[in-house]
Amino acid sequence: MQASEASTDVIIVGAGPVGLFAVFELGLAKLKAHVVDILDKPGGQCAELYPEKPIYDIPGLPFCTGQELTDRLLEQIRPFEPVFHFGEMVEALTRTVDGKWRLTTDTGRVLIAPVVVIAAGGGSFVPKRPPIPGIEAYEGKSVFYAVRRIDAFRGRRIVIAGGGDSALDWTVNLAPMAGQLTLVHRRPEFRAAPDTVRKMRELEEQGLVRFELGQPAELKGSDGKLDAVVIKRTDGSTFDIESDTLLPFFGLTMKLGPIANFGLNLNENLIPVDTAKFETSTQAVFAIGDINSYSGKLKLILSGFHEAALMAQAAHRYVHPDKTLRFQYTTSSSELQRLLKVA
Amino acid sequence: MFVTVHMPDGATHRLEALEGWRVMEVIRDWGLPIKAECGGACACATCHVWVGEEWLAKLVPPTAEELEMLDGAFQVDERSRLCCQIIMSKELDGLVVELAPESLADAPPERLAVGG
C-alpha cells in the first residue's frame, strides 16, 4: 500500500463519542484534528455494541440511541472538517527530531502532530477468538477472522461458524466459488438480515451450502494446515467436517492493543491522567474517556465530554505556545460562531 | 444473599449480593475480572456464565434478545446465560455460576466495593 503522510494539529485515537466531541472542543480552539479508528465507522461502542439501545444520561438529550448520539455528534463537528481514517489500527507512536509526535497505522499511514489524544475507550475492537486449543497456530493459514479478497477462498473447503450477519453474508458470498461450504451454528435461528437467511436456505437447497447444528470444538491438522474441524453437538456428541479453512464469526471484543506499547504509564490497562488537563505522564499525550483513570473517575460519556473541553485548552498551549486562548462562549462570540459556520 | 462464582482458573468466590442487582454487577463490583463490555445492556455476550444445573428452573427464562446475543459466546449449552440478565432475588440466594473463559477480563476493573 502507498505510504501516506499528513501533518495536523492533533491526532485523536478513537472515534467514539468522546473522540468525536474532542474534535468540537479542539475546533473551537482553532485546532485541526485527524481521527483514527479501527472500526469502519464512527461511534465506537455506541455504534458497534449498542446502536439501537437507549441512552438517558446525556445532558439536554432526555433520550437517544447510540447511533443517534453518534449522528448528532457528527453533525455538531462537521464545521471543523475532521479528517477520519477508519478501518485503521494505530501501530506505533514515536517522537520526531523536532519534538512532534509521529503516529503510524497498519495501512502504512503516517500522521505528524504536536499533540496526541487517546480516546480509545475499552481499546480496539478485534474479532473474538474461539477458545479452541492451538487455534493460534492455524491463524493466517487456515483460520481467518475477516475476508479481504474473496478470490483467495476459491476452491477451498470452508467451514463458517456463527449465526450473525457476517457469518450469513460470507456464507452467501463464498458458496458459489468454494469447493465446499459448511455453515455451523448452535441453533437453527439466525441473528441476521432475513433476506440473507433466505438466500442461505436457497443455496442449501441447491446443495451449495451444508448447514450443521453445533459449535467448533477442536481443530485437526498440522503446521497450521487444517484437515478437519471437530463439531460438538448440543447433546455433547462430536463429528468431523473435513475442511482446509475455518472462518469464525462471533462478533468483536475489545483489546487494549498496540496502545499498550506506546510507552505510556498504564495501570490495569487504563492510562492515569491529571484532572486539570487530562494529560498522561508523557508530555503532549492526553487520554480522555473510558481509557483514562483518576481518583473518582466515572466511565460516563458526559465525563469524557468534560475531559475533552479541558484537554483542548492544554492542547492549544502545545500547538501555539506563543498565543493565548481567549475563553469565549458560543452563545455570544461572533468568532466562535464563524468557526461553527452559523454567523 | 450470596452468589457463588467459579472462575476459569478454578478459584471460587462466595459474593454477597443485593436484591435487584444484576449478577454481572455483583461479580464486577466485588472486583472480579469480568469483561461485561457493554455494561449490562445485553449487547455483547462478554458476561457469559454457566448456571448450576439445580438453579436453572428458578431463573426467569432468557428473552429472545439474550438468546440472540448468546450466539456471540462460545461453548454455549443449556446452562448458558448472560449474567447481566439475571437479577438477584430471594429465590436466587445461593445461586452458583461458572464464568466462561471468554468473559474473563485481562485485568480487574477498579475495585468499587470491599469485603470478604
Side-chain angles (χ1 to χ4, degrees):
Chain A
M1 181 166 293
Q2 183 80 37
S4 150
E5 186 167 323
S7 278
T8 185
D9 294 327
V10 179
I11 303 162
I12 300 171
V13 179
V18 173
L20 295 179
F21 193 66
V23 171
F24 183 84
E25 289 294 335
L26 292 165
L28 290 182
K30 293 193 203 170
L31 300 179
K32 291 283 176 198
H34 280 231
V35 188
V36 182
D37 199 294
I38 194 166
L39 293 177
D40 58 4
K41 55 184 180 288
Q45 289 183 46
C46 285
E48 182 58 35
L49 285 183
Y50 46 87
E52 307 302 330
K53 298 274 179 178
I55 306 174
Y56 298 104
D57 62 351
I58 305 298
L61 269 179
F63 164 83
C64 69
T65 65
Q67 191 55 50
E68 281 165 2
L69 179 64
T70 304
D71 292 343
R72 282 169 176 264
L73 284 163
L74 286 171
E75 183 186 341
Q76 194 167 22
I77 67 176
R78 192 173 301 130
F80 301 115
E81 298 169 354
V83 182
F84 289 107
H85 307 290
F86 292 122
E88 295 189 29
M89 184 165 76
V90 297
E91 271 190 348
L93 182 68
T94 51
R95 280 276 192 199
T96 64
V97 283
D98 54 352
K100 290 186 174 175
W101 290 110
R102 181 180 192 273
L103 184 122
T104 54
T105 78
D106 60 351
T107 64
R109 185 182 305 284
V110 176
L111 297 173
I112 310 276
V115 172
V116 170
V117 176
I118 315 277
S124 48
F125 279 100
V126 294
K128 286 181 187 165
R129 169 190 280 161
I132 298 174
I135 191 169
E136 295 91 338
Y138 293 92
E139 289 171 357
K141 291 178 186 162
S142 309
V143 173
F144 305 91
Y145 298 99
V147 177
R148 291 238 146 76
R149 283 188 318 112
I150 288 187
D151 223 36
F153 293 91
R154 188 174 297 279
R156 293 179 82 142
R157 292 171 301 149
I158 303 170
V159 171
I160 292 182
D165 279 311
S166 296
L168 272 289
D169 284 349
W170 286 117
T171 296
V172 167
N173 287 323
L174 291 175
M177 63 175 56
Q180 156 200 315
L181 194 147
T182 311
L183 175 65
V184 178
H185 184 42
R186 69 181 185 90
R187 57 193 188 120
E189 296 85 27
F190 299 94
R191 187 167 54 95
D195 188 50
T196 317
V197 176
R198 189 177 48 75
K199 280 186 192 144
M200 186 279 287
R201 292 296 185 191
E202 280 169 18
L203 289 165
E204 191 187 6
E205 280 167 28
Q206 293 163 26
L208 288 169
V209 167
R210 184 176 137 203
F211 175 65
E212 294 284 0
L213 279 172
Q215 298 168 81
E218 195 188 321
L219 302 181
K220 288 183 179 171
S222 55
D223 301 324
K225 211 175 110 345
L226 188 64
D227 296 324
V229 181
V230 182
I231 305 297
K232 193 173 178 184
R233 295 191 186 92
T234 314
D235 64 7
S237 64
T238 61
F239 63 99
D240 288 9
I241 302 175
E242 283 188 24
S243 154
D244 52 35
T245 306
L246 171 66
L247 304 175
F249 292 117
F250 291 90
L252 305 178
T253 187
M254 288 184 278
K255 290 240 190 299
L256 185 57
I259 290 171
N261 307 320
F262 278 8
L264 305 171
N265 266 353
L266 285 178
N267 178 21
E268 290 182 343
N269 279 343
L270 298 171
I271 305 174
V273 291
D274 69 78
T275 50
K277 308 185 297 288
F278 300 94
E279 191 170 17
T280 69
S281 60
T282 303
Q283 267 203 350
V285 177
F286 297 82
I288 57 176
D290 283 0
I291 194 125
N292 74 13
S293 78
Y294 51 85
S295 175
K297 168 75 181 185
L298 283 180
K299 287 189 182 185
L300 293 175
I301 293 171
L302 69 91
S303 306
F305 289 169
H306 160 77
E307 293 159 17
L310 268 64
M311 171 280 294
Q313 301 289 310
H316 185 269
R317 291 196 282 277
Y318 280 115
V319 181
H320 300 297
D322 50 328
K323 289 187 197 164
T324 303
L325 182 63
R326 192 155 58 95
F327 179 70
Q328 303 177 87
Y329 293 104
T330 55
T331 306
S332 51
S333 161
S334 53
E335 186 189 7
L336 294 186
Q337 289 172 4
R338 271 195 301 280
L339 291 171
L340 289 165
K341 297 183 177 149
V342 292
Chain B
M1 58 185 73
F2 287 88
V3 180
T4 296
V5 183
H6 298 296
M7 300 299 283
D9 66 359
T12 294
H13 302 270
R14 187 164 173 264
L15 308 175
E16 188 162 15
L18 293 172
E19 186 164 5
W21 286 51
R22 298 162 188 274
V23 171
M24 179 277 286
E25 294 170 326
V26 174
I27 296 173
R28 182 195 63 193
D29 292 355
W30 279 106
L32 294 177
I34 182 170
K35 270 192 182 165
E37 286 175 349
C38 78
C42 194
C44 76
T46 59
C47 66
H48 175 205
V49 296
W50 293 292
V51 175
E53 205 94 50
E54 66 279 19
W55 293 96
L56 284 173
K58 295 185 175 144
L59 298 183
V60 176
T63 60
E65 186 179 36
E66 184 183 343
L67 290 173
E68 285 190 353
M69 286 318 302
L70 274 167
D71 286 352
F74 297 111
Q75 297 166 289
V76 177
D77 63 26
E78 69 286 346
R79 298 175 304 128
S80 289
R81 293 296 301 263
L82 298 179
C83 65
C84 73
Q85 300 302 301
I86 306 175
I87 314 277
M88 279 310 289
S89 61
K90 285 193 183 70
E91 298 72 49
L92 296 183
D93 186 7
L95 178 70
V96 179
V97 300
E98 179 184 354
L99 187 67
E102 82 265 14
S103 294
L104 187 69
D106 297 335
E110 201 166 335
R111 204 181 168 88
L112 296 178
V114 281

